[in-house]
Amino acid sequence: MEDRNLVSSVSNDEGLRGEQKKKLNVLLRAVDKQRKILYYAISSMPLILDSPPPSPSPSLPKHLSEEALRRKELHTADVVVVGAGIFGTAIAITLARQSRSVLLLEKSLKEPDRIVGELLQPGGVEALEKLGLRECLEEIDAIVVKGYDVIYYGQEVEIPYPKNAVEDGRRPEGRSFHHGRFIRRLREAAMKEPNITVVETTVTNTVTSSWTGQVLGVDSTTHGEKDFYFGTLTIIADGYASKFRKEYISQQPVSKSKFWGLELIDADLPKPQHGHVVLGDGAPVLLYQIGTHETRALIDVPEGLASASTANGGIKGHLRNTVLPSLPKSVQSSFEIALDEGKLRSMPNSFLPPSRNRVPGMVLLGDAMNMRHPLTGGGMTVALNDVVLLRELLSPEAVPDLGNTKLVIQQMKTFHWRRKNLTSVINILAQALYSLFAANDPQLRALQLGCFRYFQRGGSCVDSPVGLLAGIIRRPIVLFYHFFSVALLSIWLTFSQAPLWKLPMTLLESIMIFYKACVVIFPFIGSELRS
């Protein structure tokens, strides 16, 4: 500190020119950062003692204050988490409650305003309860969700969440809400944790050892100045537009459509407390309440859609001329008012198969590592259940030292395969359903009709598929069974509606329907089986 004070006093000397002062200040900051790096390197090395170390102080508050000071002044912790979204905030809180010291870094702590990440399935609500974060659903005007209402060319079928899916025998419930309000509540919970320091800073790169290849932390920009944060383990969870994805995994997102979002005021939905899926000649439309007076409308618009071309009035022309007439009559007026106000926003609908984490000292998780079409609202359910699993696999009992990179990588391999029971179901279901609901050829339209007729049968034809969608049923074989049951029903409907003299053509069409079903689902199954 004496050296620093000396430099500071010299830099304040009135006899120095402005340019000299500037150079000295730059030198001072560089020395300070190097001191932090050196401290981290030394503190990470094992100590060799001639006598046993003294027993740790029994005073927990003192220990926490020392760790907090270390995070604040030296920017070092057990874990550095990049991104304070759903996954990043939840994993930070979970690890902090296991007595890990955590730095949670976020480029902007303002309440986010997004048009997706607004519907939490029952499986996600259950995970939130397991993590002790259920209170984050309170005081945000969240709406109870009891299931879905599918509208196919004006015909409706209600798909409630299945009975006896929870221990007390009642039907499970999801929640829908403004995304930003939920994030705000999660961040408030994180800021209350004594083992977490939340920092508003823009992370730019990882800091990697040139000798071992281990990630030691990150560098960032805080208020326009270069900064560093170091951790035994760095967790990157910087979302769907991750700047680190290309550097650490080979697979990249594929996006073939966008969701265009509107916020409807006091819309009269056909089934209150239900998510609505509207199917017609175009891609699907989602409608669900996100507040007492607000309803979200999400309209899927595939790339290159002719009705959304400039010649046809662009996206507004498509919404007014194609989408509006297909909506339930009770919703049309509020939709038209929202469209006239012009508050349209879009979000890419991306698919990114999961990848294994193999980099020592760093893991890439959340939407940065795995995404699926948001049609089924499964993203937050996947993220929160991943945190539940990591709470076990990275616990102090399982991994006493997060600096043991071989053990951490082994645990992440276990994580990659154990999460499949849930995440493979949600990933495959989202992509397969979107293929059917956005049907753009005769075979897919036949499968779409078969899917709707399957739901109309009720019983297990509804309970099991919606149980998969809700994140309650976690058995991929159940998804496989019901998908091909829909395919066989589609073939039966094709035969039953065709005259006898068209039998050869109908047989060929049936083969093509079954082939199309295989083309839809097997690539997504393959993407889940790859490591």
Side-chain angles (χ1 to χ4, degrees), residues 215-239:
V215 174
L216 305 175
V218 297
D219 60 35
S220 68
T221 303
T222 308
H223 304 303
E225 294 190 2
K226 194 77 171 175
D227 220 336
F228 295 87
Y229 295 88
F230 298 101
T232 310
L233 177 65
T234 299
I235 297 176
I236 304 289
D238 59 339

mmCIF file of all heavy atoms in Angstrom, residues 215-239:
data_model
loop_
_atom_site.group_PDB
_atom_site.id
_atom_site.type_symbol
_atom_site.label_atom_id
_atom_site.label_comp_id
_atom_site.label_asym_id
_atom_site.label_seq_id
_atom_site.Cartn_x
_atom_site.Cartn_y
_atom_site.Cartn_z
ATOM 1 N N VAL A 215 -9.169 -22.569 -17.254
ATOM 2 C CA VAL A 215 -9.777 -21.247 -17.145
ATOM 3 C C VAL A 215 -9.692 -20.794 -15.690
ATOM 4 O O VAL A 215 -10.151 -21.497 -14.785
ATOM 5 C CB VAL A 215 -11.239 -21.256 -17.638
ATOM 6 C CG1 VAL A 215 -11.914 -19.903 -17.369
ATOM 7 C CG2 VAL A 215 -11.300 -21.578 -19.130
ATOM 8 N N LEU A 216 -9.110 -19.616 -15.470
ATOM 9 C CA LEU A 216 -8.899 -19.098 -14.116
ATOM 10 C C LEU A 216 -9.935 -18.059 -13.715
ATOM 11 O O LEU A 216 -10.074 -17.744 -12.535
ATOM 12 C CB LEU A 216 -7.504 -18.470 -14.009
ATOM 13 C CG LEU A 216 -6.322 -19.361 -14.394
ATOM 14 C CD1 LEU A 216 -5.027 -18.558 -14.365
ATOM 15 C CD2 LEU A 216 -6.236 -20.566 -13.470
ATOM 16 N N GLY A 217 -10.651 -17.530 -14.685
ATOM 17 C CA GLY A 217 -11.629 -16.493 -14.403
ATOM 18 C C GLY A 217 -11.950 -15.740 -15.671
ATOM 19 O O GLY A 217 -11.848 -16.282 -16.783
ATOM 20 N N VAL A 218 -12.325 -14.482 -15.522
ATOM 21 C CA VAL A 218 -12.711 -13.671 -16.683
ATOM 22 C C VAL A 218 -12.140 -12.268 -16.538
ATOM 23 O O VAL A 218 -11.828 -11.804 -15.436
ATOM 24 C CB VAL A 218 -14.247 -13.583 -16.813
ATOM 25 C CG1 VAL A 218 -14.860 -14.952 -17.063
ATOM 26 C CG2 VAL A 218 -14.877 -12.922 -15.589
ATOM 27 N N ASP A 219 -11.996 -11.608 -17.684
ATOM 28 C CA ASP A 219 -11.743 -10.166 -17.626
ATOM 29 C C ASP A 219 -12.991 -9.454 -18.128
ATOM 30 O O ASP A 219 -13.809 -10.017 -18.856
ATOM 31 C CB ASP A 219 -10.489 -9.747 -18.378
ATOM 32 C CG ASP A 219 -10.515 -10.076 -19.848
ATOM 33 O OD1 ASP A 219 -11.603 -10.004 -20.456
ATOM 34 O OD2 ASP A 219 -9.454 -10.396 -20.408
ATOM 35 N N SER A 220 -13.161 -8.215 -17.706
ATOM 36 C CA SER A 220 -14.389 -7.504 -18.000
ATOM 37 C C SER A 220 -14.125 -6.007 -18.052
ATOM 38 O O SER A 220 -13.000 -5.544 -17.799
ATOM 39 C CB SER A 220 -15.445 -7.809 -16.929
ATOM 40 O OG SER A 220 -15.055 -7.248 -15.683
ATOM 41 N N THR A 221 -15.179 -5.275 -18.358
ATOM 42 C CA THR A 221 -15.118 -3.814 -18.362
ATOM 43 C C THR A 221 -16.152 -3.280 -17.385
ATOM 44 O O THR A 221 -17.346 -3.594 -17.509
ATOM 45 C CB THR A 221 -15.392 -3.253 -19.765
ATOM 46 O OG1 THR A 221 -14.442 -3.806 -20.683
ATOM 47 C CG2 THR A 221 -15.286 -1.743 -19.779
ATOM 48 N N THR A 222 -15.690 -2.524 -16.400
ATOM 49 C CA THR A 222 -16.570 -1.942 -15.391
ATOM 50 C C THR A 222 -16.432 -0.428 -15.420
ATOM 51 O O THR A 222 -15.344 0.100 -15.184
ATOM 52 C CB THR A 222 -16.218 -2.469 -13.981
ATOM 53 O OG1 THR A 222 -16.177 -3.902 -14.002
ATOM 54 C CG2 THR A 222 -17.234 -2.002 -12.953
ATOM 55 N N HIS A 223 -17.533 0.237 -15.761
ATOM 56 C CA HIS A 223 -17.518 1.709 -15.859
ATOM 57 C C HIS A 223 -16.392 2.190 -16.783
ATOM 58 O O HIS A 223 -15.692 3.158 -16.476
ATOM 59 C CB HIS A 223 -17.381 2.341 -14.473
ATOM 60 C CG HIS A 223 -18.433 1.906 -13.501
ATOM 61 N ND1 HIS A 223 -19.781 2.055 -13.742
ATOM 62 C CD2 HIS A 223 -18.327 1.308 -12.283
ATOM 63 C CE1 HIS A 223 -20.460 1.570 -12.714
ATOM 64 N NE2 HIS A 223 -19.613 1.112 -11.828
ATOM 65 N N GLY A 224 -16.192 1.460 -17.872
ATOM 66 C CA GLY A 224 -15.210 1.867 -18.860
ATOM 67 C C GLY A 224 -13.787 1.448 -18.565
ATOM 68 O O GLY A 224 -12.882 1.721 -19.366
ATOM 69 N N GLU A 225 -13.548 0.765 -17.436
ATOM 70 C CA GLU A 225 -12.192 0.358 -17.074
ATOM 71 C C GLU A 225 -12.056 -1.163 -17.061
ATOM 72 O O GLU A 225 -12.995 -1.888 -16.741
ATOM 73 C CB GLU A 225 -11.806 0.921 -15.701
ATOM 74 C CG GLU A 225 -11.703 2.436 -15.678
ATOM 75 C CD GLU A 225 -11.075 2.930 -14.373
ATOM 76 O OE1 GLU A 225 -10.702 2.082 -13.544
ATOM 77 O OE2 GLU A 225 -10.974 4.154 -14.212
ATOM 78 N N LYS A 226 -10.864 -1.628 -17.399
ATOM 79 C CA LYS A 226 -10.575 -3.059 -17.429
ATOM 80 C C LYS A 226 -10.615 -3.636 -16.026
ATOM 81 O O LYS A 226 -10.160 -3.003 -15.066
ATOM 82 C CB LYS A 226 -9.190 -3.284 -18.036
ATOM 83 C CG LYS A 226 -8.898 -4.717 -18.443
ATOM 84 C CD LYS A 226 -9.596 -5.065 -19.735
ATOM 85 C CE LYS A 226 -9.116 -6.420 -20.254
ATOM 86 N NZ LYS A 226 -9.865 -6.839 -21.446
ATOM 87 N N ASP A 227 -11.181 -4.848 -15.912
ATOM 88 C CA ASP A 227 -11.293 -5.485 -14.603
ATOM 89 C C ASP A 227 -11.074 -6.988 -14.750
ATOM 90 O O ASP A 227 -11.135 -7.532 -15.859
ATOM 91 C CB ASP A 227 -12.677 -5.216 -14.014
ATOM 92 C CG ASP A 227 -12.624 -4.935 -12.521
ATOM 93 O OD1 ASP A 227 -11.649 -5.386 -11.894
ATOM 94 O OD2 ASP A 227 -13.541 -4.274 -12.002
ATOM 95 N N PHE A 228 -10.846 -7.665 -13.611
ATOM 96 C CA PHE A 228 -10.615 -9.111 -13.598
ATOM 97 C C PHE A 228 -11.386 -9.734 -12.442
ATOM 98 O O PHE A 228 -11.498 -9.142 -11.376
ATOM 99 C CB PHE A 228 -9.122 -9.437 -13.432
ATOM 100 C CG PHE A 228 -8.259 -8.993 -14.570
ATOM 101 C CD1 PHE A 228 -7.727 -7.707 -14.591
ATOM 102 C CD2 PHE A 228 -7.981 -9.842 -15.622
ATOM 103 C CE1 PHE A 228 -6.923 -7.286 -15.630
ATOM 104 C CE2 PHE A 228 -7.181 -9.434 -16.677
ATOM 105 C CZ PHE A 228 -6.652 -8.149 -16.684
ATOM 106 N N TYR A 229 -11.884 -10.960 -12.680
ATOM 107 C CA TYR A 229 -12.558 -11.731 -11.628
ATOM 108 C C TYR A 229 -12.091 -13.171 -11.734
ATOM 109 O O TYR A 229 -12.112 -13.757 -12.829
ATOM 110 C CB TYR A 229 -14.083 -11.639 -11.776
ATOM 111 C CG TYR A 229 -14.596 -10.237 -11.552
ATOM 112 C CD1 TYR A 229 -14.680 -9.329 -12.606
ATOM 113 C CD2 TYR A 229 -14.970 -9.806 -10.279
ATOM 114 C CE1 TYR A 229 -15.124 -8.032 -12.406
ATOM 115 C CE2 TYR A 229 -15.416 -8.514 -10.069
ATOM 116 C CZ TYR A 229 -15.491 -7.637 -11.128
ATOM 117 O OH TYR A 229 -15.920 -6.349 -10.912
ATOM 118 N N PHE A 230 -11.671 -13.737 -10.597
ATOM 119 C CA PHE A 230 -11.066 -15.072 -10.599
ATOM 120 C C PHE A 230 -11.862 -16.027 -9.725
ATOM 121 O O PHE A 230 -12.346 -15.660 -8.654
ATOM 122 C CB PHE A 230 -9.628 -15.005 -10.095
ATOM 123 C CG PHE A 230 -8.734 -14.164 -10.961
ATOM 124 C CD1 PHE A 230 -8.405 -12.864 -10.590
ATOM 125 C CD2 PHE A 230 -8.229 -14.657 -12.150
ATOM 126 C CE1 PHE A 230 -7.596 -12.083 -11.385
ATOM 127 C CE2 PHE A 230 -7.424 -13.883 -12.956
ATOM 128 C CZ PHE A 230 -7.101 -12.590 -12.574
ATOM 129 N N GLY A 231 -11.973 -17.269 -10.205
ATOM 130 C CA GLY A 231 -12.663 -18.298 -9.447
ATOM 131 C C GLY A 231 -12.053 -19.660 -9.690
ATOM 132 O O GLY A 231 -11.473 -19.922 -10.747
ATOM 133 N N THR A 232 -12.205 -20.538 -8.714
ATOM 134 C CA THR A 232 -11.762 -21.922 -8.896
ATOM 135 C C THR A 232 -12.548 -22.573 -10.035
ATOM 136 O O THR A 232 -12.013 -23.371 -10.794
ATOM 137 C CB THR A 232 -11.966 -22.702 -7.590
ATOM 138 O OG1 THR A 232 -11.399 -21.964 -6.503
ATOM 139 C CG2 THR A 232 -11.296 -24.060 -7.658
ATOM 140 N N LEU A 233 -13.840 -22.208 -10.133
ATOM 141 C CA LEU A 233 -14.684 -22.685 -11.230
ATOM 142 C C LEU A 233 -15.413 -21.483 -11.826
ATOM 143 O O LEU A 233 -15.972 -20.659 -11.099
ATOM 144 C CB LEU A 233 -15.704 -23.709 -10.728
ATOM 145 C CG LEU A 233 -16.706 -24.237 -11.768
ATOM 146 C CD1 LEU A 233 -15.986 -25.033 -12.847
ATOM 147 C CD2 LEU A 233 -17.775 -25.091 -11.100
ATOM 148 N N THR A 234 -15.405 -21.382 -13.144
ATOM 149 C CA THR A 234 -16.127 -20.325 -13.840
ATOM 150 C C THR A 234 -17.310 -20.949 -14.574
ATOM 151 O O THR A 234 -17.144 -21.883 -15.351
ATOM 152 C CB THR A 234 -15.222 -19.604 -14.858
ATOM 153 O OG1 THR A 234 -14.115 -19.010 -14.162
ATOM 154 C CG2 THR A 234 -15.986 -18.515 -15.594
ATOM 155 N N ILE A 235 -18.513 -20.439 -14.293
ATOM 156 C CA ILE A 235 -19.736 -20.916 -14.947
ATOM 157 C C ILE A 235 -20.216 -19.831 -15.902
ATOM 158 O O ILE A 235 -20.534 -18.719 -15.479
ATOM 159 C CB ILE A 235 -20.829 -21.248 -13.911
ATOM 160 C CG1 ILE A 235 -20.368 -22.395 -13.001
ATOM 161 C CG2 ILE A 235 -22.134 -21.610 -14.605
ATOM 162 C CD1 ILE A 235 -21.342 -22.730 -11.885
ATOM 163 N N ILE A 236 -20.244 -20.166 -17.185
ATOM 164 C CA ILE A 236 -20.708 -19.227 -18.210
ATOM 165 C C ILE A 236 -22.175 -19.529 -18.504
ATOM 166 O O ILE A 236 -22.518 -20.618 -18.957
ATOM 167 C CB ILE A 236 -19.897 -19.339 -19.507
ATOM 168 C CG1 ILE A 236 -18.402 -19.148 -19.231
ATOM 169 C CG2 ILE A 236 -20.406 -18.338 -20.536
ATOM 170 C CD1 ILE A 236 -17.988 -17.759 -18.869
ATOM 171 N N ALA A 237 -23.045 -18.561 -18.225
ATOM 172 C CA ALA A 237 -24.479 -18.709 -18.492
ATOM 173 C C ALA A 237 -24.992 -17.394 -19.070
ATOM 174 O O ALA A 237 -25.877 -16.754 -18.504
ATOM 175 C CB ALA A 237 -25.223 -19.076 -17.210
ATOM 176 N N ASP A 238 -24.418 -16.996 -20.200
ATOM 177 C CA ASP A 238 -24.723 -15.679 -20.765
ATOM 178 C C ASP A 238 -25.802 -15.718 -21.843
ATOM 179 O O ASP A 238 -25.892 -14.824 -22.678
ATOM 180 C CB ASP A 238 -23.456 -15.009 -21.296
ATOM 181 C CG ASP A 238 -22.740 -15.810 -22.369
ATOM 182 O OD1 ASP A 238 -22.962 -17.024 -22.441
ATOM 183 O OD2 ASP A 238 -21.958 -15.227 -23.134
ATOM 184 N N GLY A 239 -26.642 -16.758 -21.824
ATOM 185 C CA GLY A 239 -27.872 -16.748 -22.581
ATOM 186 C C GLY A 239 -27.798 -17.143 -24.037
ATOM 187 O O GLY A 239 -26.779 -17.641 -24.526
#
